Structures are given as structure tokens and as C-alpha cells.
Amino acid sequence: EDQVTQSPEALRLQEGESSSLNCSYTVSGLRGLFWYRQDPGKGPEFLFTLYSAGEEKEKERLKATLTKKESFLHITAPKPEDSATYLCAVHPNTGNQFYFGTGTSLTVIP
Amino acid sequence: ETGVTQTPRHLVMGMTNKKSLKCEQHLGHNAMYWYKQSAKKPLELMFVYSLEERVENNSVPSRFSPECPNSSHLFLHLHTLQPEDSALYLCASSKKRSRVEDTQYFGPGTRLTVL
């Protein structure tokens, strides 16, 4: 069964304290893995798409990596404005399904 | 307008009402999606339209009725809803290509409350 698990469920960091968010997935074949940021009451904002194991993408303080079983979202020297829920989703090779995790709620304390 | 827009942003309706949610994408995409987001649950994919044809219906109750008149517009018609249908309804669009690019871009959502 295709599924996505994100951990931790919630994370509190001091400003400048780097950390990583995990997305573990089980899918018959991966077409793409997606990271989104979601602020309260808003729609998810696209961050990254990863297609194959070993791939890495960066944007400002964020870096996403992908293996055959999981993806990490590394946050370097976070700032309070990075506080949000980060969502991971996978799109299998066949069909039109997208499977989302429940997200990691990140709080960065000044 | 840019990106994906949704109206209304907030909707309160009784169980006997009929209402519609509207989504419009300004990205030149050819696939559109409806999702339901409830607290503490993953986003649930409800419907998928590709080139204006419905290609996915994830066992959604018939009180939700989608409509896609063209590649830029998507509607979700609601009737006789239940209180458990209260949630954030998100619209997304993507550019389906022959290989892999299926990145979805989301609208701001409609917060629906069913009394």
C-alpha cells in the first residue's frame, strides 16, 4: 500500500539551530516527491520536486534530499519566518494519485 | 490575477443548502484537482481532471459534484452536506507532460463550515 509518513510531528527550534525533517515513503514506483510549506489558513506553497535517489535541491535555508525510501528537508540556521507546517507528497509511477503526509509543524523561536 | 485562485475563501452553509466552490488557474496548466484537508489528517485527493476529463474520483460521496468546463476553471458543487464535511477545500493545478512533471500548485483554499 502506498503511503507517506512524516516525522517529527512537531519541532521547536531556536533561531539559528539547524535540523532536518523526515519523509518516509512506500510506493510501488516513484514518479516524483514534493515538498510544500503551508502557513495557517493558507494553501500549500510549492518548495521542491525530487525525481530520483541522490537528487538534491536547495532554496535559501532549505535543502531537500532523496533516497529510495525517504526524503529529508534540511533547514540551516532557521529564522522565525520559517515557522510553518511542511508537507511531503509522493506521486506513484502509475495512476493519478498523490499521497500526502500529515506534515511537520515547525516553530522557530527568536 | 496570478497562480491559482479560489472563491469564496470562507463559506458557512446549512445541511440543506446548495452552494458551489470555484477555482481558476492562470498558469496555463491542463490538469486540476480538488483536495479536502481536515485537522490532523493528510490531504485527501477527491477529484482529478486532466484535459477537462475526470480521470479520478476517490470514492467521494455524491453530495460533492465536480465540474470542469475548461482547462482554467474547476467547480465543486455542494448539496445536503453533513457537519463532518467541514474542512479546508483546496484546488490545485499542474502541467501534465509525457514524462514526470506533475508538480501541483495550490490555491488558498475555501474554509467550509457545515452547520
Side-chain angles (χ1 to χ4, degrees):
Chain A
E1 181 181 327
D2 298 336
Q3 63 179 14
V4 178
T5 303
Q6 290 188 248
S7 63
E9 186 174 321
L11 181 63
R12 288 172 64 91
L13 299 173
Q14 289 292 133
E15 185 172 0
E17 179 187 1
S18 301
S19 188
S20 297
L21 282 55
N22 177 264
C23 172
S24 298
Y25 64 91
T26 305
V27 66
S28 51
L30 182 69
R31 179 181 293 182
L33 184 142
F34 311 90
W35 281 100
Y36 292 88
R37 169 194 170 125
Q38 186 173 25
D39 293 300
K42 296 187 176 181
E45 175 188 343
F46 169 69
L47 293 174
F48 304 108
T49 304
L50 302 167
Y51 298 109
S52 56
E55 189 174 1
E56 299 182 352
K57 289 192 177 175
E58 286 188 69
K59 178 181 178 181
E60 296 180 355
R61 295 178 292 282
L62 300 177
K63 178 180 176 180
T65 61
L66 181 64
T67 72
K68 288 187 177 181
K69 294 184 177 181
E70 58 190 351
S71 177
F72 290 94
L73 184 65
H74 307 278
I75 302 177
T76 302
K79 298 181 178 182
E81 54 262 42
D82 294 322
S83 298
T85 295
Y86 290 85
L87 300 174
C88 171
V90 297
H91 186 19
N93 263 335
T94 57
N96 298 291
Q97 290 293 337
F98 287 79
Y99 298 98
F100 279 79
T102 51
T104 293
S105 176
L106 173 66
T107 302
V108 182
I109 305 162
Chain B
E1 293 273 22
T2 58
V4 181
T5 58
Q6 290 187 243
T7 55
R9 294 295 310 279
H10 301 274
L11 178 62
V12 179
M13 60 187 289
M15 293 168 60
T16 58
N17 290 159
K18 289 185 180 182
K19 297 286 185 183
S20 295
L21 309 185
K22 179 183 176 182
C23 174
E24 185 173 358
Q25 61 93 4
H26 309 268
L27 300 169
H29 289 168
N30 55 14
M32 298 187 77
Y33 312 78
W34 278 118
Y35 283 88
K36 175 183 179 182
Q37 187 175 32
S38 305
K40 302 294 185 182
K41 288 187 176 181
L43 270 72
E44 300 172 51
L45 183 60
M46 301 173 70
F47 301 104
V48 181
Y49 276 83
S50 178
L51 299 174
E52 301 152 40
E53 178 184 347
R54 191 190 310 178
V55 295
E56 199 73 44
N57 177 345
N58 285 333
S59 303
V60 179
S62 59
R63 56 186 183 269
F64 295 92
S65 175
E67 178 190 0
C68 187
N70 55 61
S71 60
S72 298
H73 294 87
L74 184 66
F75 295 89
L76 188 62
H77 303 298
L78 316 171
H79 64 96
T80 60
L81 294 190
Q82 305 297 311
E84 59 263 31
D85 297 322
S86 298
L88 182 67
Y89 288 84
L90 292 162
C91 172
S93 69
S94 71
K95 182 76 171 180
K96 278 192 168 290
R97 303 178 189 173
S98 59
R99 186 178 163 262
V100 294
E101 177 59 70
D102 275 323
T103 299
Q104 297 176 318
Y105 294 86
F106 286 83
T110 295
R111 172 65 64 185
L112 173 66
T113 303
V114 181
L115 302 176

